[in-house]
Amino acid sequence: MQQVADDRALDKNIAAGLLSRQSSAERAALLNCLISGGDERLDCDAVSGLNMYGYGPSPRPRDFAFGSSTASTISANAFAVVESYYARLMREMESGSAAAVYEREVERLRCDLLRMLGLDQPAEQPRIDAILATSGTDIHLFAASLLAREDGRALMTITLMGNETGSGVMTASAGRHFMGRVSSDRVVAKGEELRAGDATRNATIAVRNKDGSLRADSEVEDELRGLIELGRAAGLRCLLVVTDVSKTSLLAPSLESVLRLKARFGDVLDIMIDACQFRLSAATIRAYLAHGFMVAVTGSKFLAGPIFSGALLCPPQMSMRFRNRPLPAALSDYCGKAEWPQGWAARDTLPERANFGLLLRWKAALFELESFAAIPQEQVIAVLSAFAEAVVARLAGDPAFALLDSRPLDRHCLWGTPAIRHWDEIPSIFSFYLRNANNAGVLNAVETAAVYKELAVEEDGFAAVRLGQPVRCADFGDVPASALRICLSAPLVVHACESAEALAGLIEQAMIVLDRTAEIAARHASASAARLASA
């Protein structure tokens, strides 16, 4: 306990800028470590220093940082904490084993995550376990690997269409390599099964119609019931992945549908909550676990830690099932022994590999989580509500934009009895199309992508604007359309809670971002119209 208290005091001193920074060589080593231990999505361009999402390992305090639904840049405060933590680890490894240091620190990190979520429990009570992973997509792969061939039955996973989740989720959920290189740096065959014979099947379900409007809950539930019935008839186990929330802030399928399906199919059906955006209160996470659902989270979206830090939270009944489950040999390239809970058979087949990049990224994310959790919920609700009101009013009232169809975040059936209001009932992702010339329609997917890329460039006195990447949401006739997203993150909320002036400044920044977006979109729309006129 004293070590935890000392660490917290140290973190606060570092964040306040009271400790000295490292040398340039040590800082370069830290930056390299922050982008290590993942796949090619972490690779940074030699010239720009940015990865495929347009983010790098260094703080960028000038940016208008409203893109946390895609990825985030580490904050200056979190970077200072990580910088000192990394220096301490390097000193310890001068006289000790890297594997031993890593094992100890990962276990401490796991305990900190559970504590911050109110999931630390006395040893005599049923245990909630946490498996660490390099990304949310890896978590889907782990879940499929643990459930495949359980009781000799093949697995069918059911996920949302990929445009509402990560691009590799459907492949990972099928128990297949989803990238060409894994965290061990080994090259793999993308799309190949991890373990031949597992025969993991993957079904997907759309929650939007072709025009981007939302399908009725009853229609989605009927389709899900039919898929699970077919799976049961074929002797399959089924894993339903519920997304809370998706890239466009959807909770889908509805929780009422999920609970009815679970009651109907019982042990045939397992549930995993894809909460990789981490736009959930600790109380909501605890409620999901109390229902026996697994919960997947990452530290790189709402928490705004560097990309590539994930965890799968397993309720006691799932932990008991998984403790003795062997893993496919190929998973040893994705993770090491320390990332899996003590006492699990999986540890016996995994290498003692230290992934310090994963450790540092989670350290940054937990710094942001602890800062956010310290804010009274009433203040968080006030900030989220004011921001949502201002942004929705602007997007709905400005002819430059068109709001994407959405619905309220309804989790009332989780609680059984009336519960207090939680901050996660208020959306923090706002999705919108860009209208084209004369408001005759919306910009197509290519034009929207061009606007997004231009916004991210710092030039002519304008700071870089970070919005959520375009999400392909609709086809209007034969024209594909994508939505951009303006998002709040935990650090933005923490800052806005400091004063009324800070909140007003945050909203003003959002309006400036939308002004800039409308200006660039109008220019692209005019250029497109001119090209069509001259064709």
Side-chain angles (χ1 to χ4, degrees):
M1 290 299 295
Q2 183 59 46
Q3 179 66 55
V4 172
D6 291 346
D7 284 351
R8 289 184 199 162
L10 179 64
D11 288 353
K12 289 178 181 177
N13 287 338
I14 295 167
L18 300 179
L19 299 182
S20 62
R21 300 300 178 95
Q22 297 166 298
S23 70
S24 57
E26 290 170 325
R27 185 182 175 94
L30 169 59
L31 294 177
N32 286 331
C33 189
L34 276 169
I35 59 173
S36 68
D39 55 47
E40 55 261 50
R41 291 173 292 175
L42 270 175
D43 293 347
C44 290
D45 179 77
V47 177
S48 69
L50 304 178
N51 58 36
M52 63 187 292
Y53 302 107
Y55 293 84
S58 299
R60 292 172 58 95
R62 281 178 44 82
D63 287 0
F64 288 105
F66 291 99
S68 60
S69 57
T70 291
S72 301
T73 300
I74 188 171
S75 70
N77 284 347
F79 189 85
V81 168
V82 169
E83 191 173 39
S84 181
Y85 179 62
Y86 177 73
R88 192 186 87 196
L89 294 178
M90 294 303 103
R91 289 193 299 270
E92 290 183 2
M93 284 189 290
E94 290 176 0
S95 57
S97 159
V101 170
Y102 181 71
E103 174 93 32
R104 182 198 70 211
E105 293 301 313
V106 165
E107 186 58 30
R108 182 179 293 170
L109 186 148
R110 181 183 284 111
C111 292
D112 284 347
L113 173 61
L114 295 176
R115 172 182 57 80
M116 291 179 198
L117 296 176
L119 297 172
D120 49 339
Q121 297 169 304
E124 65 273 12
Q125 292 187 10
R127 175 172 174 163
I128 291 167
D129 280 316
I131 305 166
L132 300 187
T134 51
S135 75
T137 319
D138 289 70
I139 294 172
H140 287 268
L141 184 67
F142 291 1
S145 298
L146 286 165
L147 289 168
R149 291 296 175 189
E150 188 180 22
D151 300 329
R153 287 182 286 179
L155 176 69
M156 178 172 72
T157 59
I158 306 171
T159 60
L160 296 189
M161 293 295 286
N163 54 349
E164 289 288 346
T165 59
S167 58
V169 163
M170 288 186 284
T171 304
S173 295
R176 298 176 182 275
H177 295 296
F178 54 90
M179 297 297 287
R181 194 184 80 231
V182 292
S183 61
S184 65
D185 278 340
R186 193 172 78 85
V187 174
V188 297
K190 187 175 180 180
E192 183 179 88
E193 284 184 301
L194 263 69
R195 181 166 54 193
D198 277 356
T200 303
R201 307 178 190 184
N202 186 232
T204 60
I205 186 164
V207 293
R208 294 189 184 276
N209 296 305
K210 189 175 180 181
D211 64 357
S213 61
L214 291 170
R215 298 176 67 193
D217 286 341
S218 58
E219 184 181 342
V220 172
E221 184 177 342
D222 287 345
E223 187 173 338
L224 285 170
R225 185 170 56 250
L227 283 170
I228 300 167
E229 289 281 14
L230 288 172
R232 179 167 65 176
L236 305 176
R237 295 195 66 86
C238 295
L239 172 65
L240 173 60
V241 179
V242 179
T243 306
D244 186 356
V245 294
S246 75
K247 289 180 178 181
T248 62
S249 196
L250 292 180
L251 198 177
S254 77
L255 294 184
E256 289 184 333
S257 294
V258 171
L259 294 179
R260 280 193 293 266
L261 291 168
K262 181 60 179 172
R264 180 185 182 98
F265 292 103
D267 292 342
V268 169
L269 179 65
D270 288 308
I271 308 292
M272 183 172 78
I273 307 298
D274 181 344
C276 287
Q277 287 282 337
F278 218 139
R279 297 175 193 273
L280 292 185
S281 67
T284 299
I285 291 173
R286 293 194 297 269
Y288 277 133
L289 292 165
H291 278 276
F293 301 163
M294 297 174 284
V295 180
V297 297
T298 71
S300 60
K301 300 296 193 296
F302 181 70
L303 294 185
I307 68 168
F308 270 53
S309 59
L312 178 62
L313 305 176
C314 299
Q317 52 270 59
M318 299 304 294
S319 292
M320 290 299 295
R321 284 170 56 183
F322 291 160
R323 287 178 70 86
N324 298 316
R325 291 283 291 155
L327 293 178
L331 270 190
S332 63
D333 286 316
Y334 284 84
C335 50
K337 187 188 298 284
E339 285 108 70
W340 289 70
Q342 296 283 347
W344 283 37
R347 290 172 57 93
D348 298 334
T349 60
L350 294 172
E352 287 190 338
R353 187 170 67 244
N355 187 343
F356 285 101
L358 172 63
L359 182 65
L360 296 185
R361 294 187 291 270
W362 258 122
K363 181 71 172 178
L366 291 189
F367 170 81
E368 303 292 6
L369 175 58
E370 189 147 40
S371 299
F372 179 77
I375 305 295
Q377 181 160 247
E378 296 76 19
Q379 283 184 259
V380 174
I381 289 173
V383 165
L384 288 170
S385 298
F387 187 87
E389 182 179 356
V391 169
V392 170
R394 171 67 186 274
L395 293 173
D398 191 326
F401 308 113
L403 276 164
L404 179 67
D405 194 13
S406 189
R407 62 165 61 100
L409 297 169
D410 184 1
R411 305 184 187 90
H412 74 276
C413 59
L414 274 184
W415 309 104
T417 56
I420 62 172
R421 191 184 190 197
H422 298 288
W423 65 263
D424 56 9
E425 296 173 24
I426 306 164
S428 53
I429 300 175
F430 307 90
S431 307
F432 57 96
Y433 301 115
L434 302 174
R435 291 191 184 275
N436 60 20
N438 302 316
N439 302 321
V442 301
L443 267 62
N444 63 37
V446 173
E447 293 165 336
T448 302
V451 172
Y452 170 81
K453 290 177 182 177
E454 186 171 341
L455 282 166
V457 176
E458 184 176 355
E459 61 181 1
D460 299 330
F462 288 101
V465 171
R466 303 289 175 165
L467 293 176
Q469 278 184 327
V471 177
R472 172 78 176 274
C473 292
D475 290 313
F476 297 108
D478 59 351
V479 178
S482 297
L484 292 174
R485 297 162 290 157
I486 184 168
C487 321
L488 276 179
S489 64
L492 290 179
V493 174
V494 170
H495 175 68
C497 284
E498 292 177 358
S499 64
E501 292 76 17
L503 173 56
L506 175 67
I507 293 173
E508 181 182 6
Q509 277 196 0
M511 296 304 113
I512 292 171
V513 163
L514 292 174
D515 288 343
R516 176 80 170 140
T517 304
E519 173 192 335
I520 294 175
R523 192 184 330 127
H524 280 268
S526 297
S528 179
R531 285 194 298 270
L532 287 174
S534 62

